[in-house]
Short mmCIF file of all heavy atoms in Angstrom, two decimals:
data_model
loop_
_atom_site.label_atom_id
_atom_site.label_comp_id
_atom_site.label_asym_id
_atom_site.label_seq_id
_atom_site.Cartn_x
_atom_site.Cartn_y
_atom_site.Cartn_z
N VAL A 230 37.95 -127.68 -22.89
CA VAL A 230 39.16 -128.02 -23.70
C VAL A 230 38.77 -128.76 -24.92
O VAL A 230 39.19 -128.48 -26.05
CB VAL A 230 40.16 -128.79 -22.84
CG1 VAL A 230 41.26 -129.33 -23.75
CG2 VAL A 230 40.78 -127.93 -21.75
N ILE A 231 37.90 -129.80 -24.78
CA ILE A 231 37.45 -130.62 -25.89
C ILE A 231 36.68 -129.72 -26.87
O ILE A 231 36.86 -129.79 -28.10
CB ILE A 231 36.57 -131.78 -25.43
CG1 ILE A 231 37.36 -132.78 -24.60
CG2 ILE A 231 35.89 -132.46 -26.54
CD1 ILE A 231 36.58 -133.84 -23.93
N LEU A 232 35.82 -128.80 -26.36
CA LEU A 232 35.03 -127.94 -27.21
C LEU A 232 35.96 -127.01 -28.02
O LEU A 232 35.76 -126.82 -29.22
CB LEU A 232 34.06 -127.10 -26.41
CG LEU A 232 33.11 -126.16 -27.16
CD1 LEU A 232 32.20 -127.02 -28.07
CD2 LEU A 232 32.28 -125.33 -26.22
N PHE A 233 37.00 -126.48 -27.37
CA PHE A 233 37.93 -125.57 -28.02
C PHE A 233 38.71 -126.31 -29.17
O PHE A 233 38.82 -125.79 -30.27
CB PHE A 233 38.95 -125.04 -27.00
CG PHE A 233 40.03 -124.21 -27.61
CD1 PHE A 233 39.79 -122.91 -28.04
CD2 PHE A 233 41.32 -124.77 -27.81
CE1 PHE A 233 40.78 -122.15 -28.62
CE2 PHE A 233 42.29 -124.03 -28.45
CZ PHE A 233 42.05 -122.67 -28.83
N VAL A 234 39.17 -127.51 -28.85
CA VAL A 234 39.92 -128.31 -29.83
C VAL A 234 39.05 -128.59 -31.02
O VAL A 234 39.44 -128.53 -32.18
CB VAL A 234 40.48 -129.63 -29.19
CG1 VAL A 234 41.03 -130.54 -30.27
CG2 VAL A 234 41.55 -129.31 -28.20
N PHE A 235 37.73 -128.99 -30.73
CA PHE A 235 36.80 -129.33 -31.78
C PHE A 235 36.57 -128.09 -32.70
O PHE A 235 36.61 -128.19 -33.92
CB PHE A 235 35.54 -129.81 -31.21
CG PHE A 235 34.45 -130.11 -32.23
CD1 PHE A 235 34.49 -131.23 -32.98
CD2 PHE A 235 33.37 -129.19 -32.43
CE1 PHE A 235 33.49 -131.48 -33.95
CE2 PHE A 235 32.41 -129.43 -33.37
CZ PHE A 235 32.45 -130.62 -34.10
N CYS A 236 36.39 -126.94 -32.07
CA CYS A 236 36.10 -125.70 -32.88
C CYS A 236 37.31 -125.33 -33.69
O CYS A 236 37.17 -124.94 -34.85
CB CYS A 236 35.72 -124.61 -31.93
SG CYS A 236 34.10 -124.77 -31.15
N ALA A 237 38.51 -125.45 -33.13
CA ALA A 237 39.71 -125.17 -33.82
C ALA A 237 39.90 -126.06 -35.04
O ALA A 237 40.32 -125.65 -36.12
CB ALA A 237 40.93 -125.28 -32.85
N PHE A 238 39.56 -127.34 -34.85
CA PHE A 238 39.63 -128.33 -35.95
C PHE A 238 38.65 -127.97 -37.04
O PHE A 238 39.08 -127.97 -38.23
CB PHE A 238 39.30 -129.75 -35.41
CG PHE A 238 39.31 -130.82 -36.41
CD1 PHE A 238 40.52 -131.27 -36.99
CD2 PHE A 238 38.11 -131.35 -36.92
CE1 PHE A 238 40.51 -132.25 -37.99
CE2 PHE A 238 38.11 -132.30 -37.90
CZ PHE A 238 39.30 -132.74 -38.42
N ILE A 239 37.47 -127.58 -36.73
CA ILE A 239 36.46 -127.18 -37.74
C ILE A 239 36.94 -125.95 -38.51
O ILE A 239 36.83 -125.94 -39.78
CB ILE A 239 35.09 -126.87 -37.05
CG1 ILE A 239 34.49 -128.22 -36.47
CG2 ILE A 239 34.14 -126.28 -38.01
CD1 ILE A 239 34.16 -129.26 -37.52
N VAL A 240 37.51 -124.99 -37.81
CA VAL A 240 38.01 -123.76 -38.46
C VAL A 240 39.18 -124.11 -39.41
O VAL A 240 39.21 -123.63 -40.55
CB VAL A 240 38.47 -122.74 -37.42
CG1 VAL A 240 39.25 -121.60 -38.05
CG2 VAL A 240 37.26 -122.19 -36.70
N PHE A 241 40.06 -125.05 -38.94
CA PHE A 241 41.19 -125.43 -39.73
C PHE A 241 40.76 -126.11 -41.02
O PHE A 241 41.26 -125.85 -42.09
CB PHE A 241 42.09 -126.34 -38.93
CG PHE A 241 43.24 -126.91 -39.67
CD1 PHE A 241 44.34 -126.14 -40.05
CD2 PHE A 241 43.29 -128.29 -40.08
CE1 PHE A 241 45.41 -126.63 -40.76
CE2 PHE A 241 44.34 -128.84 -40.77
CZ PHE A 241 45.42 -127.96 -41.08
N ILE A 242 39.79 -127.02 -40.91
CA ILE A 242 39.24 -127.68 -42.09
C ILE A 242 38.62 -126.69 -43.06
O ILE A 242 38.76 -126.82 -44.26
CB ILE A 242 38.21 -128.77 -41.64
CG1 ILE A 242 38.91 -129.95 -40.88
CG2 ILE A 242 37.48 -129.37 -42.84
CD1 ILE A 242 39.91 -130.70 -41.64
N GLY A 243 37.87 -125.77 -42.48
CA GLY A 243 37.25 -124.73 -43.33
C GLY A 243 38.24 -123.91 -44.09
O GLY A 243 38.08 -123.64 -45.28
N ILE A 244 39.34 -123.56 -43.42
CA ILE A 244 40.38 -122.77 -44.13
C ILE A 244 41.04 -123.59 -45.21
O ILE A 244 41.26 -123.06 -46.32
CB ILE A 244 41.47 -122.32 -43.09
CG1 ILE A 244 40.91 -121.32 -42.16
CG2 ILE A 244 42.72 -121.77 -43.79
CD1 ILE A 244 41.74 -120.92 -40.98
N LEU A 245 41.34 -124.87 -44.94
CA LEU A 245 41.93 -125.72 -46.00
C LEU A 245 40.99 -125.87 -47.19
O LEU A 245 41.44 -125.81 -48.34
CB LEU A 245 42.17 -127.10 -45.41
CG LEU A 245 43.47 -127.31 -44.53
CD1 LEU A 245 43.56 -128.76 -44.06
CD2 LEU A 245 44.69 -126.91 -45.37
N HIS A 246 39.74 -126.00 -46.89
CA HIS A 246 38.70 -126.17 -48.00
C HIS A 246 38.68 -124.88 -48.85
O HIS A 246 38.59 -124.94 -50.06
CB HIS A 246 37.34 -126.44 -47.40
CG HIS A 246 36.24 -126.52 -48.42
ND1 HIS A 246 36.12 -127.63 -49.30
CD2 HIS A 246 35.29 -125.66 -48.81
CE1 HIS A 246 35.12 -127.39 -50.09
NE2 HIS A 246 34.59 -126.21 -49.83
N PHE A 247 38.72 -123.74 -48.13
CA PHE A 247 38.73 -122.43 -48.85
C PHE A 247 39.91 -122.28 -49.74
O PHE A 247 39.84 -121.88 -50.90
CB PHE A 247 38.62 -121.28 -47.81
CG PHE A 247 38.71 -119.94 -48.48
CD1 PHE A 247 37.59 -119.36 -49.09
CD2 PHE A 247 39.91 -119.19 -48.42
CE1 PHE A 247 37.70 -118.13 -49.74
CE2 PHE A 247 40.01 -117.94 -49.08
CZ PHE A 247 38.85 -117.40 -49.68
N ILE A 248 41.14 -122.60 -49.18
CA ILE A 248 42.32 -122.45 -49.93
C ILE A 248 42.29 -123.39 -51.15
O ILE A 248 42.67 -122.99 -52.28
CB ILE A 248 43.59 -122.80 -49.09
CG1 ILE A 248 43.75 -121.73 -48.03
CG2 ILE A 248 44.86 -122.97 -49.92
CD1 ILE A 248 44.80 -122.01 -47.01
N ASN A 249 41.85 -124.66 -50.97
CA ASN A 249 41.80 -125.59 -52.13
C ASN A 249 40.80 -125.16 -53.19
O ASN A 249 41.05 -125.30 -54.36
CB ASN A 249 41.49 -126.97 -51.59
CG ASN A 249 42.63 -127.59 -50.83
OD1 ASN A 249 43.78 -127.32 -51.10
ND2 ASN A 249 42.31 -128.45 -49.90
N SER A 250 39.69 -124.60 -52.74
CA SER A 250 38.68 -124.18 -53.67
C SER A 250 39.20 -122.98 -54.50
O SER A 250 38.92 -122.83 -55.68
CB SER A 250 37.37 -123.81 -52.95
OG SER A 250 37.51 -122.66 -52.20
N GLN A 251 39.92 -122.08 -53.80
CA GLN A 251 40.47 -120.93 -54.51
C GLN A 251 41.52 -121.35 -55.55
O GLN A 251 41.57 -120.91 -56.66
CB GLN A 251 41.16 -120.01 -53.50
CG GLN A 251 40.19 -119.27 -52.61
CD GLN A 251 39.25 -118.32 -53.42
OE1 GLN A 251 39.69 -117.47 -54.11
NE2 GLN A 251 37.96 -118.58 -53.27
N LYS A 252 42.29 -122.38 -55.23
CA LYS A 252 43.31 -122.92 -56.14
C LYS A 252 42.66 -123.49 -57.34
O LYS A 252 43.13 -123.39 -58.48
CB LYS A 252 44.17 -123.98 -55.50
CG LYS A 252 45.19 -123.40 -54.53
CD LYS A 252 46.04 -124.51 -53.85
CE LYS A 252 47.06 -123.93 -52.94
NZ LYS A 252 47.87 -125.02 -52.23
N ARG A 253 41.51 -124.17 -57.15
CA ARG A 253 40.79 -124.73 -58.29
C ARG A 253 40.19 -123.69 -59.19
O ARG A 253 40.14 -123.81 -60.40
CB ARG A 253 39.74 -125.72 -57.80
CG ARG A 253 40.22 -127.04 -57.24
CD ARG A 253 39.10 -128.03 -57.10
NE ARG A 253 38.03 -127.54 -56.26
CZ ARG A 253 38.01 -127.72 -54.95
NH1 ARG A 253 38.98 -128.38 -54.36
NH2 ARG A 253 37.00 -127.29 -54.17
N GLU A 254 39.68 -122.65 -58.58
CA GLU A 254 38.89 -121.67 -59.34
C GLU A 254 39.76 -120.60 -60.01
O GLU A 254 39.34 -120.01 -60.98
CB GLU A 254 37.91 -120.97 -58.38
CG GLU A 254 36.80 -121.94 -57.91
CD GLU A 254 35.97 -121.31 -56.78
OE1 GLU A 254 36.21 -120.15 -56.46
OE2 GLU A 254 35.08 -122.04 -56.28
N ILE A 255 40.92 -120.32 -59.44
CA ILE A 255 41.69 -119.19 -60.01
C ILE A 255 42.47 -119.63 -61.25
O ILE A 255 43.65 -120.06 -61.20
CB ILE A 255 42.67 -118.63 -58.93
CG1 ILE A 255 41.89 -118.07 -57.75
CG2 ILE A 255 43.47 -117.42 -59.55
CD1 ILE A 255 42.71 -117.60 -56.60
N ARG A 256 41.79 -119.56 -62.36
CA ARG A 256 42.41 -119.80 -63.64
C ARG A 256 41.65 -118.96 -64.61
O ARG A 256 40.38 -118.74 -64.43
CB ARG A 256 42.34 -121.30 -64.08
CG ARG A 256 40.99 -121.89 -64.04
CD ARG A 256 41.04 -123.26 -64.81
NE ARG A 256 41.95 -124.16 -64.16
CZ ARG A 256 41.61 -125.11 -63.27
NH1 ARG A 256 40.33 -125.20 -62.89
NH2 ARG A 256 42.49 -125.94 -62.79
N PHE A 257 42.26 -118.45 -65.63
CA PHE A 257 41.57 -117.54 -66.56
C PHE A 257 40.55 -118.28 -67.38
O PHE A 257 39.43 -117.82 -67.56
CB PHE A 257 42.55 -116.74 -67.42
CG PHE A 257 41.88 -115.66 -68.21
CD1 PHE A 257 41.61 -114.49 -67.55
CD2 PHE A 257 41.46 -115.85 -69.51
CE1 PHE A 257 40.97 -113.41 -68.24
CE2 PHE A 257 40.83 -114.83 -70.20
CZ PHE A 257 40.57 -113.59 -69.56
N TYR A 258 40.95 -119.46 -67.91
CA TYR A 258 40.05 -120.22 -68.73
C TYR A 258 39.43 -121.31 -67.88
O TYR A 258 40.15 -122.29 -67.48
CB TYR A 258 40.78 -120.83 -69.94
CG TYR A 258 41.12 -119.80 -71.00
CD1 TYR A 258 42.40 -119.56 -71.34
CD2 TYR A 258 40.13 -119.04 -71.65
CE1 TYR A 258 42.80 -118.61 -72.30
CE2 TYR A 258 40.45 -118.14 -72.60
CZ TYR A 258 41.78 -117.93 -72.97
OH TYR A 258 42.11 -117.03 -73.91
N PRO A 259 38.15 -121.26 -67.59
CA PRO A 259 37.51 -122.34 -66.85
C PRO A 259 37.55 -123.65 -67.63
O PRO A 259 37.36 -123.70 -68.83
CB PRO A 259 36.04 -121.85 -66.68
CG PRO A 259 35.84 -120.83 -67.73
CD PRO A 259 37.20 -120.24 -68.02
N ILE A 260 37.83 -124.74 -66.93
CA ILE A 260 38.02 -126.00 -67.57
C ILE A 260 36.85 -126.96 -67.15
O ILE A 260 36.81 -127.46 -66.05
CB ILE A 260 39.39 -126.69 -67.21
CG1 ILE A 260 40.48 -125.76 -67.66
CG2 ILE A 260 39.47 -128.05 -67.92
CD1 ILE A 260 41.80 -126.32 -67.33
N PRO A 261 35.87 -127.09 -68.03
CA PRO A 261 34.74 -128.02 -67.73
C PRO A 261 35.28 -129.52 -67.71
O PRO A 261 36.11 -129.90 -68.48
CB PRO A 261 33.76 -127.85 -68.92
CG PRO A 261 34.58 -127.18 -69.93
CD PRO A 261 35.72 -126.53 -69.34
N LYS A 262 34.77 -130.24 -66.74
CA LYS A 262 35.26 -131.67 -66.55
C LYS A 262 34.63 -132.67 -67.44
O LYS A 262 35.19 -133.71 -67.69
CB LYS A 262 35.08 -131.99 -65.07
CG LYS A 262 35.97 -131.22 -64.13
CD LYS A 262 35.74 -131.55 -62.68
CE LYS A 262 36.62 -130.71 -61.73
NZ LYS A 262 36.37 -131.07 -60.34
N LYS A 263 33.41 -132.44 -67.84
CA LYS A 263 32.64 -133.43 -68.56
C LYS A 263 33.22 -133.65 -69.98
O LYS A 263 33.63 -132.68 -70.63
CB LYS A 263 31.15 -133.08 -68.64
CG LYS A 263 30.50 -133.13 -67.23
CD LYS A 263 29.01 -132.81 -67.35
CE LYS A 263 28.35 -132.85 -65.96
NZ LYS A 263 26.94 -132.55 -66.03
N SER A 264 33.13 -134.90 -70.45
CA SER A 264 33.74 -135.20 -71.74
C SER A 264 33.02 -134.53 -72.90
O SER A 264 33.65 -134.30 -73.97
CB SER A 264 33.66 -136.75 -71.95
OG SER A 264 32.33 -137.22 -71.88
N LYS A 265 31.77 -134.13 -72.69
CA LYS A 265 31.05 -133.52 -73.82
C LYS A 265 31.57 -132.14 -74.19
O LYS A 265 31.23 -131.58 -75.18
CB LYS A 265 29.58 -133.44 -73.49
CG LYS A 265 29.18 -132.65 -72.29
CD LYS A 265 27.71 -132.68 -72.04
CE LYS A 265 27.31 -132.01 -70.77
NZ LYS A 265 25.83 -132.18 -70.49
N PHE A 266 32.42 -131.61 -73.29
CA PHE A 266 33.06 -130.31 -73.57
C PHE A 266 34.36 -130.41 -74.28
O PHE A 266 35.04 -129.39 -74.53
CB PHE A 266 33.25 -129.50 -72.25
CG PHE A 266 31.97 -129.14 -71.59
CD1 PHE A 266 31.61 -129.69 -70.37
CD2 PHE A 266 31.05 -128.26 -72.19
CE1 PHE A 266 30.44 -129.36 -69.74
CE2 PHE A 266 29.85 -127.94 -71.55
CZ PHE A 266 29.54 -128.49 -70.34
N GLN A 267 34.87 -131.62 -74.50
CA GLN A 267 36.21 -131.76 -75.06
C GLN A 267 36.35 -131.19 -76.48
O GLN A 267 37.38 -130.54 -76.78
CB GLN A 267 36.57 -133.28 -75.10
CG GLN A 267 36.79 -133.94 -73.77
CD GLN A 267 37.65 -133.14 -72.84
OE1 GLN A 267 38.81 -132.88 -73.24
NE2 GLN A 267 37.23 -132.77 -71.66
N LYS A 268 35.31 -131.28 -77.25
CA LYS A 268 35.32 -130.61 -78.60
C LYS A 268 35.40 -129.12 -78.48
O LYS A 268 36.03 -128.45 -79.28
CB LYS A 268 34.13 -131.09 -79.42
CG LYS A 268 34.27 -132.46 -80.00
CD LYS A 268 33.13 -132.73 -81.00
CE LYS A 268 33.32 -134.10 -81.67
NZ LYS A 268 32.24 -134.34 -82.67
N VAL A 269 34.71 -128.56 -77.49
CA VAL A 269 34.78 -127.12 -77.27
C VAL A 269 36.21 -126.65 -77.05
O VAL A 269 36.74 -125.73 -77.65
CB VAL A 269 33.85 -126.67 -76.10
CG1 VAL A 269 34.09 -125.16 -75.78
CG2 VAL A 269 32.39 -126.95 -76.43
N LEU A 270 36.85 -127.36 -76.09
CA LEU A 270 38.26 -127.02 -75.79
C LEU A 270 39.18 -127.30 -76.95
O LEU A 270 40.11 -126.50 -77.21
CB LEU A 270 38.75 -127.90 -74.58
CG LEU A 270 37.90 -127.66 -73.30
CD1 LEU A 270 38.44 -128.55 -72.21
CD2 LEU A 270 38.00 -126.20 -72.84
N LYS A 271 38.92 -128.39 -77.68
CA LYS A 271 39.76 -128.69 -78.87
C LYS A 271 39.65 -127.62 -79.96
O LYS A 271 40.65 -127.10 -80.46
CB LYS A 271 39.33 -130.07 -79.42
CG LYS A 271 40.06 -130.47 -80.68
CD LYS A 271 39.50 -131.77 -81.30
CE LYS A 271 40.11 -132.07 -82.64
NZ LYS A 271 39.49 -133.26 -83.31
N PHE A 272 38.40 -127.28 -80.33
CA PHE A 272 38.19 -126.32 -81.38
C PHE A 272 38.78 -124.94 -80.98
O PHE A 272 39.36 -124.27 -81.74
CB PHE A 272 36.70 -126.18 -81.72
CG PHE A 272 36.11 -127.37 -82.39
CD1 PHE A 272 34.77 -127.75 -82.23
CD2 PHE A 272 36.85 -128.14 -83.25
CE1 PHE A 272 34.23 -128.85 -82.79
CE2 PHE A 272 36.37 -129.26 -83.90
CZ PHE A 272 35.05 -129.61 -83.66
N PHE A 273 38.60 -124.63 -79.70
CA PHE A 273 39.10 -123.32 -79.22
C PHE A 273 40.63 -123.28 -79.26
O PHE A 273 41.24 -122.32 -79.76
CB PHE A 273 38.65 -123.07 -77.79
CG PHE A 273 39.09 -121.75 -77.23
CD1 PHE A 273 38.49 -120.61 -77.59
CD2 PHE A 273 40.19 -121.71 -76.33
CE1 PHE A 273 38.92 -119.37 -77.08
CE2 PHE A 273 40.65 -120.51 -75.81
CZ PHE A 273 40.02 -119.31 -76.16
N SER A 274 41.32 -124.34 -78.75
CA SER A 274 42.74 -124.35 -78.70
C SER A 274 43.35 -124.38 -80.14
O SER A 274 44.43 -123.86 -80.29
CB SER A 274 43.25 -125.54 -77.87
OG SER A 274 42.89 -126.76 -78.49
N GLN A 275 42.70 -124.95 -81.07
CA GLN A 275 43.21 -125.06 -82.41
C GLN A 275 42.68 -123.82 -83.30
O GLN A 275 42.96 -123.81 -84.47
CB GLN A 275 42.73 -126.39 -83.04
CG GLN A 275 43.36 -127.61 -82.39
CD GLN A 275 42.86 -128.92 -83.01
OE1 GLN A 275 41.94 -128.90 -83.84
NE2 GLN A 275 43.49 -130.00 -82.58
N LYS A 276 41.94 -122.98 -82.65
CA LYS A 276 41.43 -121.75 -83.32
C LYS A 276 40.55 -122.06 -84.52
O LYS A 276 40.50 -121.36 -85.53
CB LYS A 276 42.50 -120.81 -83.77
CG LYS A 276 43.34 -120.25 -82.53
CD LYS A 276 44.39 -119.20 -82.93
CE LYS A 276 45.08 -118.67 -81.73
NZ LYS A 276 46.06 -117.69 -82.03
#
């Protein structure tokens, strides 16, 4: 019973992680987090 609950918990965490990662990745324009990319985004958005 303990083994089953543990395995189910691991699968559940894996599914949540997959869903969250998909939500982060599914965007047309990738958004770099580092500040050194801010000028890239600025120049691009202002054409």
